[in-house]
Amino acid sequence: MADFVASSIAGAAAIVLGNPIDVIKVRLQSGSSSAPSRAPAFETWTSMFRGAAAPVITNGALNALLFVSFNRSLAILENDNHQPILRPSLHNVWLAGAFSGLVTFIVSTPTEVVKCRAQLYNEPNTTSWTVARDIWRSNGIRGLYHGGVITSLRDSIGYGFYFWAYEASKNILGLESETAKTLVAGGIAGCVTWATIYPLDVVKTRVQTQQLLQVPSHAGPSAYMGALDHARDIYRTEGLRGYFSGFWWCMGRAFFVNAVQWALYEYIMGLFSPAKAGATRREFEAHEQKYNL
């Protein structure tokens, strides 16, 4: 329970802090005529937080699926016999992360559809709720899972590298301060994750927002385009550079947001059970050994 509460609070805080840059990222990724190559101007100060409600509301459910599936699958892979897993194999960490990322597709896909569309609307009264309501009225449940395949692929690969990079970074970093180690490892994990999946995220954004945009297409402006169609179209019209629109904005956001999220998560866990947290750190030091790649 403590793990769920800590991850939910930390995740919600990270979403709110990183949303202004996420808005810029999505607008640059979309390839719309209203999104220039530089950072788009915000219409009002509230537009910096447009689309944040959807991921904040679903954050608890997503974290529940993510951490429960990750911990259970890692325990099975490590054959832990109900003993604490002190130094799991990084190979197993990646596999457990990839599986847990695939499971979160149930929540992440509708969240991404609503978030991305809300971030692109220019109307001042647009909210995540009005976007979700319009999608439901026009396309039902199917509309909320638009781009589900590319989203599940992105999440599976992304969370695999996310947990892998975090565990590996904490093992390699020679920082004495546990807080500093958590901050740096969290930031590195975020950057590694986005670097590995960014082209997939660009294609995902195009798929999920295509009804709002007039993106040039060989198939015609009104034709529905799947993920492969968008991937080909990006290369045809923008070249390899098109797969990395908004990349450096995302890298800056990834380091800052994930550093804060992991540090806040560790801090809240310490508040819930300080004795257990201290015992875990001492146990780690007493059983120091290398990861098995």
Side-chain angles (χ1 to χ4, degrees), residues 4-258:
F4 169 70
V5 173
S7 61
S8 297
I9 294 175
I15 290 166
V16 173
L17 288 172
N19 200 74
I21 298 180
D22 192 56
V23 173
I24 294 174
K25 174 183 77 73
V26 169
R27 291 183 179 186
L28 292 175
Q29 285 181 335
S30 68
S32 66
S33 58
S34 62
S37 58
R38 57 185 175 79
F42 293 114
E43 296 80 17
T44 63
W45 72 270
T46 57
S47 63
M48 292 190 296
F49 302 99
R50 183 169 293 168
V56 167
I57 291 171
T58 60
N59 177 60
L62 189 145
N63 277 315
L65 286 171
L66 180 66
F67 281 95
V68 169
S69 56
F70 174 76
N71 291 328
R72 295 288 175 83
S73 56
L74 183 60
I76 293 171
L77 290 170
E78 289 286 311
N79 192 23
D80 66 337
N81 296 319
H82 305 290
Q83 298 298 318
I85 304 173
L86 299 178
R87 291 293 188 180
S89 161
L90 285 182
H91 177 263
N92 288 341
V93 168
W94 192 93
L95 289 175
F99 174 73
S100 62
L102 188 62
V103 172
T104 62
F105 135 86
I106 299 171
V107 176
S108 65
T109 299
T111 300
E112 285 290 309
V113 171
V114 173
K115 175 184 76 73
C116 290
R117 294 193 184 187
Q119 289 174 339
L120 290 181
Y121 274 115
N122 291 322
E123 289 79 2
N125 295 325
T126 299
T127 64
S128 294
W129 165 249
T130 58
V131 172
R133 183 190 60 196
D134 291 343
I135 293 172
W136 180 266
R137 286 177 176 175
S138 58
N139 300 105
I141 190 70
R142 187 175 181 178
L144 291 173
Y145 281 89
H146 194 60
V149 174
I150 189 71
T151 303
S152 61
L153 183 62
R154 181 203 69 160
D155 288 350
S156 181
I157 296 173
Y159 278 116
F161 279 108
Y162 186 65
F163 285 105
W164 177 87
Y166 180 71
E167 292 291 341
S169 298
K170 289 199 73 174
N171 184 50
I172 294 171
L173 292 172
L175 301 174
E176 294 184 5
S177 169
E178 191 68 23
T179 300
K181 187 185 293 185
T182 300
L183 281 167
V184 177
I188 292 174
C191 290
V192 168
T193 300
W194 280 105
T196 58
I197 63 170
Y198 200 79
L200 289 174
D201 193 60
V202 172
V203 174
K204 177 203 72 69
T205 298
R206 298 283 180 102
V207 170
Q208 292 179 334
T209 61
Q210 63 184 314
Q211 293 180 353
L212 307 178
L213 308 170
Q214 293 297 321
V215 181
S217 167
H218 67 284
S222 61
Y224 170 79
M225 296 172 63
L228 287 176
D229 296 322
H230 276 286
R232 295 191 192 101
D233 212 56
I234 291 171
Y235 184 76
R236 183 179 292 104
T237 58
E238 303 169 55
L240 291 175
R241 191 174 182 178
Y243 297 114
F244 294 92
S245 299
F247 178 77
W248 292 113
W249 285 96
C250 183
M251 286 295 102
R253 172 185 175 273
F255 189 92
F256 169 71
V257 167
N258 286 282

